[in-house]
Amino acid sequence: MTTIRKVIGDPNEFWSELSWSDLSSAEQELWGQLGWNEENWDGELDLPEWEDLSSEDQQAWGVLGWSQASWEGDDDIPTSAEKLWEELTSEEQAAATNLGYDQDKWDSDEL
């Protein structure tokens, strides 16, 4: 059985020190469930800063439970990030749709 390594110190700093190839297959699988892959883990995909999002996008992400703190990694990610499409409320589905998601993209973490 493969285990997930124990995080020492600041979790954001701990994980950011590792490249995707440094992660075990179990860790890659778990991070993959949260939408990470080699491209965005290793920084090749630049996500916008919270303040660079439009107010409409901030509002939609807010409906999904995101805040500036969670977006920037200073707070836990919202539970909606771990839900399948069918588990989202109708309000959350509408917000996700406004952000470009449909059921297939949401469930496969593609956008």
Side-chain angles (χ1 to χ4, degrees), residues 84-95:
L84 293 172
W85 183 265
E86 63 190 26
E87 297 170 324
L88 296 173
T89 66
S90 58
E91 185 180 19
E92 289 171 331
Q93 287 180 357

Side-chain angles (χ1 to χ4, degrees), residues 31-79:
W31 281 108
Q33 291 176 14
L34 296 173
W36 291 93
N37 58 39
E38 184 172 8
E39 183 179 12
N40 58 23
W41 183 273
D42 288 337
E44 296 171 25
L45 177 64
D46 239 353
L47 297 175
E49 298 292 326
W50 180 262
E51 57 269 359
D52 293 334
L53 296 173
S54 69
S55 59
E56 293 83 10
D57 283 354
Q58 286 180 2
Q59 183 177 7
W61 284 114
V63 169
L64 290 164
W66 290 89
S67 65
Q68 184 169 359
S70 58
W71 188 264
E72 294 174 354
D74 296 329
D75 204 355
D76 292 335
I77 63 168
T79 58

Side-chain angles (χ1 to χ4, degrees), residues 12-24:
N12 290 324
E13 187 175 324
F14 178 85
W15 291 110
S16 68
E17 296 293 321
L18 301 170
S19 70
W20 185 259
S21 62
D22 293 331
L23 302 176
S24 69

